[in-house]
Each structure stands twice: as C-alpha cells, then as structure tokens.
Amino acid sequence: MPRAFLVVMDSVGIGGAPDAERFFNDGRPDTGANTVLHIAERQGLALPNLDRLGLGAAIRLASGADAPGLAAEPEGLWGAATEISPGKDTPSGHWEIAGVPVPWDWHYFPDRQPAFPPELTARVCELAGTQGILGNKHSSGTVILDELGAEHLRTGWPICYTSADSVFQIAAHQEAFGLDRLLKLCEDLAPTLHEMRVGRVIARPFTGTPGNFTRTANRRDYAIAPPAETILDIAANAGRDTHAIGKIGDIFSHRGIGKLHKGKSDAELAGHLLHLLDEASPGSLTFANFVEFDSLYGHRRDVKGYGAQLEWFDGIVGQALDRLQPGDLILFTADHGNDPSWIGTDHTRERVPVLGYGLPKRGIGNVGFSDIGASVLAHLGLDAPGHGKSFL
C-alpha cells in the first residue's frame, strides 16, 4: 500500500491571500506580505530542492511575483493553497489542511494591561494556589522572562501572558515552581479557556537565574480539540499507522495519532522524518510540523535567520526525496505566513505553497487548504473528510 508524508513548514507563506486586508499587524493590513519573496529579495535564497519541486512557480501563481533565484522549471506537483478559516494561526491552518475549517471566530485577548478578565485571573490563582499572577499582558516569551523571572522566583506566582494569537501562556521556573505543577495547572485551566474559544493554553517552563533565564524543551500545548474528524482520525480508524512529528500531537489534542515523535529542535525532528521515510509501514500517514521558521525567526522578524533556516531545510528536503519508496507521496506546505520583513510580530495572512513528489509532475493551480488533506487520503485509498477535494 502507498504511504503519505505531509510536511508543514510552519509559516512559510508565499503571499497573495485574497483577504489579507482583513488581517493586521500593529494596525497595518497584511496586504502585500510575502514571507519567501521578501527574504529572497533582501538576501537571496539558495533552495535548489524546493525550487525544483516548484516553489518559485508557486510564488508566481500565488502573488504574481518573481522571487530572485527561484526560477527552476518544476519537476514536481506544485500549486498554492488559500485558507478560508477566519484566523492566521497554527490551529486554524493545520485543522483546515486536515479537512476541518474552523467554524468559529477565535477569542483574542486585548492588547492592554490587564489583558485578562478578573474571573480568569482568579481561576488561575485558585488552581495554582497563589495570591496573584505576574504579567497579565501581551509580551514576547523571552522578553517577559527577563522582565519578571526574578519576581517569579521571589513570589512563586506564575507568569501569564498572551500574544496576537488566540493563546494563554504560563511561564514558570522548572525547578522552583515545578514542571509537573506547571503542566497540571495548564491542563486543569485549559477547559476554561477552550470554552472561551481560546485556541491553546501553553506551558512555558524555564530554568536559570536572573539575567540568565532559558526556556526548556518541555513546552506543552493544550489545544482545543477539532470539532470534526481530521485526516488523522480517518486514517487511524481505518487501521492505518499514524505518526505525528513535532507539534502535530498538541495541535490535534493527540487524537488519531498512533505514535508521537518529539524533539528539542527542528534538526531532531528532521531525523524522525528521515527515519520514518526509511521505516514507516505500508499504508501509513506521517504528519510533521517544523516550527522554528516561525518560532525563532518569523515572530522575531529575523530575515537573515529565517533565510538560513530555509536553506538548511532545503537540504533535508533533498535527503527526504532520496528516501521515497515506490508509491510514496510527500507534500510540503505551510499553515500561514510570518513575513520577517513585516511590521509587528504577528503571523501574516498569506497563501502557502503546495509542493509534492511521488506523482507525475504538474501544476495544480490555486487550491484550498482542505484539498491538501483530501488528496492525502485519496492517495492512501481512504474516503475524504467532509471538506476538500483531491487534486490528485
């Protein structure tokens, strides 16, 4: 039986979203944002493997722009995908790719201080056993540790903050506060946030001393569950082996996942992907997320770092293509944009590339996010979810 590998390059957008004017960064609409194009224009990009699959052609299709250095004749299946969910966030993008467009508007906390309603703050204090919380505002995760880490050690109060995403994040010292205590706090709090349509509660453990705090790899996301069956559920219910690499388990509330493969970095996650290309069973589905484009470089508006990460990942793509077995399909796509040249720190509303190998080379045009998941299931010989149409 054929195997399928679905790889999300987190935030690697290619511009051209038809509704970009409805989404904002620091009051400026996302119209014109284009993650890969703007990196290529500012410093050039050497992406021979992604480009030969059709990345440059996909950028031209999505946005009408020619990206410098990305002009190869496509040798793979290529196109661009447009999102219909009313968000530009991680759950929205992944759920829709997996066949479940988000049917509601997410709740976002206002960018003011305090950001959280008193009843929510009281609930956190009740569960944490503290007299108060620290933060209670929008902030970068690294900045708030420098600002409030010492106060956290002194008081024992959790650091609670949010961002432009629909998230509630809690940072706590892994030793002084306790990792298990932090994870339980987030797990117990999650139902309250999910009722508010907040997408994720995120545990952000850290270690160190004042002036030298470091976030650890023990982050845990407690995400609201998708409201319908995803491609993971459908494959698992059909008796297929399902593998989740990276954040996929958290994004889908660990539903429909047979085996989870975590790592401290994208480099470790790449090792899992390459291993599964060698070892995954016939008929299996592997769903992977590579997050560092977004988390380390997009939000921090680091054009140089983002470009270097793309070039590193292009090497992984080459190794992955070499490991494909007869009948395999591998698709590379993204969940949203995060243009590192753009104003603000939030994601950017963009179309995303759809680049495939294992099928005859051809352009598929502009498709929907849900068409990606429908195509994966069609390749596996399984019925499509409620949304999406196969482009195979």
Side-chain angles (χ1 to χ4, degrees):
M1 289 192 292
R3 307 182 301 172
F5 299 85
L6 178 54
V7 180
V8 175
M9 305 175 293
D10 202 302
S11 85
V12 181
I14 54 175
D19 57 357
E21 77 281 353
R22 295 178 46 235
F23 298 84
F24 295 86
N25 265 277
D26 284 356
R28 174 183 172 182
D30 286 342
T31 308
N34 193 320
T35 298
V36 179
L37 173 70
H38 290 156
I39 298 171
E41 288 179 337
R42 280 158 177 75
Q43 66 176 52
L45 284 172
L47 306 174
N49 295 301
L50 288 167
D51 195 27
R52 72 184 175 98
L53 290 179
L55 179 58
I59 294 171
R60 289 191 293 275
L61 173 67
S63 62
D66 291 310
L70 301 176
E73 184 68 24
E75 298 178 12
L77 178 148
W78 63 275
T82 304
E83 185 175 11
I84 63 171
S85 296
K88 52 176 179 175
D89 53 89
T90 295
S92 294
H94 282 78
W95 288 8
E96 190 170 330
I97 288 169
V100 184
V102 177
W104 55 67
D105 290 325
W106 296 107
H107 178 79
Y108 301 93
F109 293 107
D111 191 2
R112 63 172 183 251
Q113 195 170 355
F116 309 128
E119 59 272 19
L120 178 58
T121 300
R123 179 62 173 156
V124 177
C125 293
E126 177 188 359
L127 292 172
T130 60
Q131 296 301 307
I133 65 171
L134 302 174
N136 204 341
K137 63 181 180 178
H138 283 236
S139 180
S140 158
T142 52
V143 169
I144 207 165
L145 292 188
D146 292 337
E147 178 186 348
L148 295 174
E151 184 74 0
H152 165 73
L153 289 177
R154 187 183 70 81
T155 64
W157 293 5
I159 303 171
C160 301
Y161 62 104
T162 187
S163 71
D165 284 349
S166 179
V167 295
F168 187 92
Q169 305 189 73
I170 305 179
H173 198 280
Q174 191 163 286
E175 288 82 32
F177 190 88
L179 177 61
D180 290 342
R181 181 185 174 197
L182 172 61
L183 296 180
K184 180 169 174 50
L185 169 60
C186 292
E187 182 179 6
D188 291 346
L189 184 64
T192 300
L193 273 299
H194 294 166
E195 288 180 6
M196 298 170 62
R197 296 298 189 226
V198 174
R200 287 175 292 165
V201 178
I202 306 178
R204 293 284 198 176
F206 66 95
T207 59
T209 56
N212 191 34
F213 291 122
T214 304
R215 294 198 293 195
T216 76
N218 292 317
R219 163 182 170 162
R220 179 73 185 270
D221 292 35
Y222 297 86
I224 190 170
E229 284 193 337
T230 71
I231 61 172
L232 288 162
D233 297 312
I234 293 169
N237 291 339
R240 305 297 181 88
D241 289 337
T242 55
H243 298 272
I245 298 176
K247 289 172 57 178
I248 297 299
D250 292 333
I251 293 167
F252 291 97
S253 296
H254 298 271
R255 211 176 67 192
I257 294 168
K259 188 169 184 181
L260 179 63
H261 308 264
K262 299 284 280 187
K264 296 180 180 179
S265 66
D266 276 6
E268 288 191 14
L269 300 182
H272 291 312
L273 175 62
L274 297 176
H275 172 74
L276 288 170
L277 281 158
D278 289 336
E279 302 294 338
S281 62
S284 61
L285 168 61
T286 297
F287 198 166
N289 171 279
F290 288 85
V291 71
E292 289 179 352
F293 305 106
D294 185 62
S295 62
L296 297 185
Y297 308 112
H299 288 297
R300 300 179 187 184
R301 296 303 190 249
D302 182 351
V303 174
K304 183 177 180 181
Y306 203 126
Q309 186 74 2
L310 279 168
E311 293 184 342
W312 166 80
F313 188 74
D314 189 79
I316 301 301
V317 172
Q319 294 180 56
L321 298 182
D322 288 341
R323 284 172 161 80
L324 288 177
Q325 299 175 11
D328 286 349
L329 170 67
I330 190 166
L331 289 174
F332 298 94
T333 188
D335 53 343
H336 49 70
N338 201 350
D339 189 337
S341 73
W342 210 245
I343 190 172
T345 61
D346 192 12
H347 299 146
T348 43
R349 182 73 162 189
E350 302 179 42
R351 286 182 167 130
V352 300
V354 182
L355 309 173
Y357 202 77
L359 296 170
K361 65 177 182 179
R362 64 185 180 92
I364 59 173
N366 280 306
V367 301
F369 273 34
S370 290
D371 297 338
I372 299 169
S375 301
V376 167
L377 290 183
H379 180 74
L380 293 174
L382 300 174
D383 291 335
H387 294 270
K389 181 179 179 181
S390 173
F391 47 67
L392 301 185

